[in-house]
Amino acid sequence: MLEQILALLPQVIFDGLILGFVYAMVALGYTMVYGVLELINFAHSEIFMIGAVVGVEVFRYLAPHVGNGFLLLLLALILGGVVAGITAILVERFAYRPLRKRGTTNRLVPLITAIGVSFILQDLVRLIEGLWHNEFFLRMRTVEDLEGSVSLLGGAIFAQTKSFILMGVSILMLVGLTYLVNRTKLGVAIRAVAQDLPTASLMGIDPDRIISRTFLIGGSLGGVAGVLFALQYTTITPYVGFLPGIKAFTAAVLGGIGNIPGAMLGGLVLGQLENFFGTYLPILTNGNFGTEYKDVVAFLILIFILLVRPQGLLGQVVKEKV
Amino acid sequence: MNALSFLLSLAYLGLAFLAPNPLSHLFGLVALGVTAFLRLVPHWRTLNLALLTLAFTVGLMRSGNTLGLIGLVGILVALTTLSRIPGWIRVLLGLAILLLSVPLAGFANTFVFELGIQIGIYAAMALGLNVVVGMAGLLDLGYAAFFAVGAYTWAIFGSEQAKNFMQGNFPLPGEYMYLFMGIAIVTTALTGLLIGLPALRLRGDYLAIVTLGLGEVVRILANNLDHPINFTNGPQGITPVQRPPIDGFRELMATLGVHLDRTTDYQLFFYFLVLLMIGLVVLVNVNLANSRFGRAWVAIREDEVAARSMGIPLLPTKLLAFMTGAAFSGVMGVIFAAQRTFVSPESFTLLASITILGMVILGGMGSIPGAILGAAALTILNLDVLKTFSEFVRTSLPQIPNQVDPAKYERLVFGLILVLMMIFRPEGLIPEKRHRAEMEEA
């Protein structure tokens, strides 16, 4: 028993790291939008899914023409990010902005809208894929250059090139985003709108433009994450965004919603926990409780965090204004 | 104008007799629209509604086309919402539609019964969710979980399933279903308490996510509790589930001169049972809305801080709303399990929860007739309109890939309904007064 657990441990940690980076990238989008609008953007999981679908299509059509796998992946990342970012802007423009303009104080209205948008996007993608290929279960095409594998720690870890790319890109994204938010003019504007929208608009910031930019940034990060997710896990459907989406939101809450390094940390922690339970639960319970319960664990973590430390690991306590 | 609308209604009555087909039913719907939306003298309007009730009933009996059912639902909505119709006419016509027209149509086309029962089950659930979302303003995205608990409560003991973990004589005989309706109230209310205790301490939008998560947890449990001990039989689901014996009901119907055969007897029985349940649920709902608790819920919905400073205990009040909604859903779950004789985790997905939420939103949050209308509209849309549309596409446009089958796109339809309602009419189709005020002042 214990030997079995220890023998698997390095691989479990490594796979948890991959999963954690995926959650972290998606969590960034949730956290940014929440920071600015205090809205749980339910549709973000579908933005992520759209990125994944774009990745599959790019690989499907361009793999025969582009010899170099790394170049192909770069193209897919750019296209996935752009398409997802534009979708996010459109969602904000046509679904959320009319509600803001009406100025409803009811918090449920934007949330219900977001759920509706999420459903619409799922079926729209299914419709497009259905018309295009008459199927919606998509397989990511494998490309030799990205599938190469190495053994680490004397064979204890089996790792593929694509997994290292995934981790590298997510670290780059976090660093880039932190720089953007803390050091650029746009970042200052985003933080100003997040802190106090009416005052920011009095200081010459156009809140609509900044909110739109926020959706663009969060959306394209989600899209890039989607492409990498498709590369890593290969099977994609229009409904694939739902669970990673909920878990990435959990990660954002775990790190402290609205906090960018927090989202990254929360993602990594959640990835480790989930993979740990998913692998060891069947072993510890003699197969009585299978891997399926890992989702239950993620939800229980979410509830626990919200009850015990609602501001998350790195978040600050926000006073409810009356 | 009055004469014109009367002539239209009369013309449709004639058409329903002579040429009962979808086109003439569409004409009937136009006549109903004219009657409802033009400015008519009240007694003409009342007369038209009575005429149209008769006409749609005749049309349904002669063709069985479900467009007629949409007409009847429309008349029911008109009866509840239009002003200056005498009260006894409202009651009389409403009862005539529910107790005579629909069963008569059902004998012509048993699908009408199926629709009626589904509408009824969903309407009762929408009324339950309406307490939680509409009155207390708590967004619950895992509402189907309570439905599942209710359904499994009866399915496990009303089938051979319970033999896997208990000594005893299973399945329990069908008449135990009534007892289990009571037991389901307790089990689902307790589930509501368990889920609510942690979740209801949270802010509104967090509550939504947590209930969604817990709803998924219930589904995952239902899917996986077939090992180590087989409680739920996992993804295969449980079948056959016992139905209550209906000899007494058959005799009663025979004395009334209604001859039932093997297919329609249970359908008619469940149809009446569901109607009875809706009557009870509406009664409870109306009384709750006008009680201390109802007012406390509205206060919490409008302003939590103010409500608390007025001495309303937040957590107990919210828990009560949650448990009430859960209990409604649980009772309907038992009926659902018995009517289908089959229960599986597939019926209790997030889509089911969102469907019920969509019904409440479409009708109007906090509005009792709204929740029933929403249930009728979405159920007919889902089970009937989309399927008809699918057949139409399949037969007339065979070159379209089979993945583009409208019946598979209910999420798209529900999503559009949610988004469009929130943008253009957040208070719903039949708004509740206080909600309308809230949405407009904003």
Side-chain angles (χ1 to χ4, degrees):
Chain A
M1 182 89 139
L2 192 66
E3 279 172 19
Q4 199 184 357
I5 288 176
L6 283 176
L8 285 173
L9 195 60
Q11 185 69 49
V12 170
I13 291 177
F14 185 80
D15 291 346
L17 210 56
I18 298 169
L19 192 62
F21 274 117
V22 171
Y23 289 160
M25 285 187 280
V26 183
L28 291 173
Y30 279 107
T31 263
M32 283 192 72
V33 169
Y34 197 93
V36 170
L37 284 184
E38 289 211 343
L39 162 76
I40 298 175
N41 182 13
F42 242 95
H44 189 65
S45 52
E46 273 52 60
I47 303 287
F48 160 81
M49 174 274 292
I50 285 171
V53 171
V54 171
V56 171
E57 294 301 343
V58 168
F59 270 58
R60 183 200 306 246
Y61 284 103
L62 293 183
H65 308 297
V66 182
N68 184 329
F70 296 95
L71 182 64
L72 179 67
L73 179 61
L74 185 67
L75 280 174
L77 288 175
I78 292 169
L79 265 172
V82 168
V83 174
I86 290 172
T87 314
I89 288 184
L90 291 176
V91 166
E92 192 276 328
R93 177 72 191 75
F94 292 107
Y96 302 152
R97 192 174 296 181
L99 305 178
R100 272 211 314 283
K101 290 288 171 260
R102 207 175 56 217
T104 168
T105 49
N106 188 325
R107 283 185 88 110
L108 299 189
V109 171
L111 193 59
I112 292 166
T113 311
I115 297 166
V117 170
S118 153
F119 270 44
I120 292 173
L121 289 177
Q122 286 175 357
D123 263 1
L124 269 185
V125 170
R126 179 175 174 169
L127 186 66
I128 292 167
E129 287 291 337
L131 284 169
W132 196 2
H133 304 295
N134 197 18
E135 62 169 9
F136 66 96
F137 272 90
L138 306 169
R139 300 280 307 175
M140 187 80 171
R141 191 186 170 122
T142 47
V143 176
E144 284 301 313
D145 306 1
L146 306 171
E147 298 293 319
S149 59
V150 285
S151 287
L152 303 172
L153 299 181
I157 298 180
F158 168 81
Q160 288 180 293
T161 315
K162 58 188 185 186
S163 309
F164 291 117
I165 295 176
L166 187 147
M167 294 184 197
V169 172
S170 21
I171 292 169
L172 270 181
M173 269 163 54
L174 173 73
V175 173
L177 189 64
T178 313
Y179 173 81
L180 185 138
V181 171
N182 290 328
R183 296 261 180 262
T184 63
K185 217 169 162 179
L186 175 63
V188 173
I190 289 176
R191 277 180 293 143
V193 172
Q195 259 176 27
D196 189 340
L197 194 147
T199 310
S201 67
L202 292 174
M203 299 291 148
I205 295 171
D206 175 1
D208 280 344
R209 223 184 81 215
I210 297 304
I211 288 168
S212 199
R213 290 285 159 86
T214 309
F215 270 84
L216 171 68
I217 295 163
S220 29
L221 295 183
V224 169
V227 175
L228 293 166
F229 178 86
L231 184 70
Q232 182 71 38
Y233 299 101
T234 65
T235 311
I236 299 297
T237 73
Y239 309 111
V240 84
F242 172 64
L243 271 178
I246 296 286
K247 287 173 184 163
F249 176 76
T250 304
V253 172
L254 181 62
I257 193 115
N259 181 312
I260 291 168
M264 208 77 188
L265 177 70
L268 291 175
V269 171
L270 193 71
Q272 287 300 339
L273 285 172
E274 183 182 323
N275 213 35
F276 201 84
F277 277 103
T279 313
Y280 288 139
L281 209 60
I283 297 175
L284 290 172
T285 58
N286 289 324
N288 285 336
F289 291 100
T291 312
E292 304 86 6
Y293 287 92
K294 68 179 198 290
D295 298 341
V296 176
V297 170
F299 291 130
L300 293 180
I301 290 170
L302 173 65
I303 294 163
F304 182 75
I305 293 288
L306 284 172
L307 289 175
V308 177
R309 198 181 156 82
Q311 71 274 28
L313 296 171
L314 303 184
Q316 287 133 5
V317 184
V318 183
K319 279 261 177 2
E320 279 278 333
K321 294 196 197 76
V322 176
Chain B
M1 194 84 86
N2 296 317
L4 172 82
S5 68
F6 176 72
L7 281 177
L8 278 177
S9 306
L10 209 55
Y12 171 56
L13 183 57
L15 277 176
F17 260 112
L18 302 171
N21 60 38
L23 261 180
S24 70
H25 293 322
L26 271 179
F27 179 79
L29 289 176
V30 171
L32 177 62
V34 167
T35 297
F37 292 110
L38 291 187
R39 301 190 47 161
L40 304 179
V41 178
H43 61 257
W44 280 99
R45 179 178 275 165
T46 311
L47 181 67
N48 284 346
L49 285 178
L51 262 180
L52 284 170
T53 306
L54 182 64
F56 276 119
T57 309
V58 169
L60 269 167
M61 283 169 70
R62 294 179 61 87
S63 79
N65 186 290
T66 44
L67 272 176
L69 192 68
I70 296 177
L72 289 180
V73 170
I75 293 173
L76 284 175
V77 173
L79 288 171
T80 34
T81 53
L82 292 176
S83 56
R84 299 177 62 194
I85 297 174
W88 63 273
I89 296 263
R90 287 181 210 253
V91 175
L92 193 73
L93 274 184
L95 286 179
I97 288 175
L98 292 174
L99 299 180
L100 291 173
S101 305
V102 175
L104 284 171
F107 290 128
N109 175 5
T110 51
F111 184 56
V112 172
F113 275 135
E114 192 52 40
L115 272 178
I117 294 168
Q118 291 302 322
I119 289 172
I121 289 176
Y122 275 114
M125 283 205 285
L127 285 164
L129 186 62
N130 187 35
V131 170
V132 181
V133 178
M135 292 185 193
L138 307 163
L139 187 54
D140 179 358
L141 299 181
Y143 190 66
F146 302 128
F147 190 44
V149 171
Y152 272 99
T153 301
W154 172 236
I156 288 172
F157 294 99
S159 72
E160 307 239 326
Q161 192 59 33
K163 282 183 177 170
N164 293 318
F165 57 90
M166 274 174 84
Q167 295 292 319
N169 201 357
F170 295 107
L172 292 173
E175 54 262 48
Y176 274 77
M177 188 194 86
Y178 304 112
L179 172 68
F180 270 80
M181 281 161 74
I183 292 177
I185 290 182
V186 179
T187 51
T188 44
L190 281 177
T191 314
L193 186 70
L194 272 178
I195 289 182
L197 266 178
L200 290 169
R201 293 166 196 271
L202 306 170
R203 264 221 336 264
D205 44 5
Y206 282 169
L207 170 74
I209 297 279
V210 166
T211 47
L212 184 151
L214 288 166
E216 281 296 294
V217 167
V218 168
R219 194 182 60 81
I220 293 168
L221 288 177
N223 230 341
N224 292 299
L225 277 181
D226 51 348
H227 59 278
I229 303 170
N230 188 351
F231 285 108
T232 64
N233 211 21
Q236 293 90 6
I238 299 173
T239 192
V241 180
Q242 291 292 314
R243 296 167 152 183
I246 54 168
D247 302 331
F249 176 76
R250 276 206 199 91
E251 278 168 28
L252 176 71
M253 285 293 128
T255 48
L256 291 174
V258 181
H259 291 289
L260 297 170
D261 56 36
R262 282 258 160 253
T263 53
T264 51
D265 54 359
Y266 265 110
Q267 281 176 315
L268 189 67
F269 169 76
F270 275 113
Y271 173 72
F272 282 136
L273 180 66
V274 163
L275 269 191
L276 184 75
M277 289 312 299
I278 291 186
L280 284 174
V281 167
V282 169
L283 206 66
V284 174
N285 234 322
V286 171
N287 279 304
L288 272 175
N290 299 327
S291 72
R292 257 183 67 182
F293 300 118
R295 288 194 298 276
W297 289 335
V298 173
I300 286 180
R301 178 184 83 207
E302 310 252 317
D303 190 339
E304 225 174 65
V305 179
R308 206 167 72 190
S309 57
M310 288 289 150
I312 294 175
L314 287 188
L315 192 65
T317 313
K318 285 182 181 177
L319 271 176
L320 185 73
F322 224 66
M323 288 160 77
T324 310
F328 287 163
S329 189
V331 172
M332 291 332 271
V334 172
I335 295 177
F336 178 82
Q339 192 252 336
R340 289 265 177 115
T341 67
F342 168 69
V343 170
S344 84
E346 278 308 291
S347 316
F348 312 111
T349 52
L350 172 73
L351 184 64
S353 294
I354 302 288
T355 305
I356 304 164
L357 179 71
M359 291 167 182
V360 174
I361 304 262
L362 182 68
M365 283 190 270
S367 151
I368 292 169
I372 299 174
L373 167 67
L378 283 193
T379 308
I380 290 178
L381 190 73
N382 213 353
L383 292 180
D384 191 30
V385 177
L386 276 179
K387 288 211 168 36
T388 314
F389 190 50
S390 283
E391 274 159 31
F392 169 76
V393 168
R394 257 202 305 275
T395 47
S396 57
L397 300 163
Q399 69 277 20
I400 282 205
N402 60 3
Q403 264 312 324
V404 190
D405 174 2
K408 292 175 181 162
Y409 288 90
E410 47 190 28
R411 283 162 186 261
L412 184 65
V413 177
F414 292 159
L416 279 171
I417 286 174
L418 288 180
V419 174
L420 294 175
M421 288 305 289
M422 283 296 119
I423 292 177
F424 296 109
R425 204 176 157 86
E427 72 274 23
L429 293 177
I430 310 180
E432 183 232 10
K433 278 198 231 46
R434 258 189 296 226
H435 250 285
R436 179 186 267 171
E438 186 191 352
M439 295 287 181
E440 276 172 5
E441 85 181 25

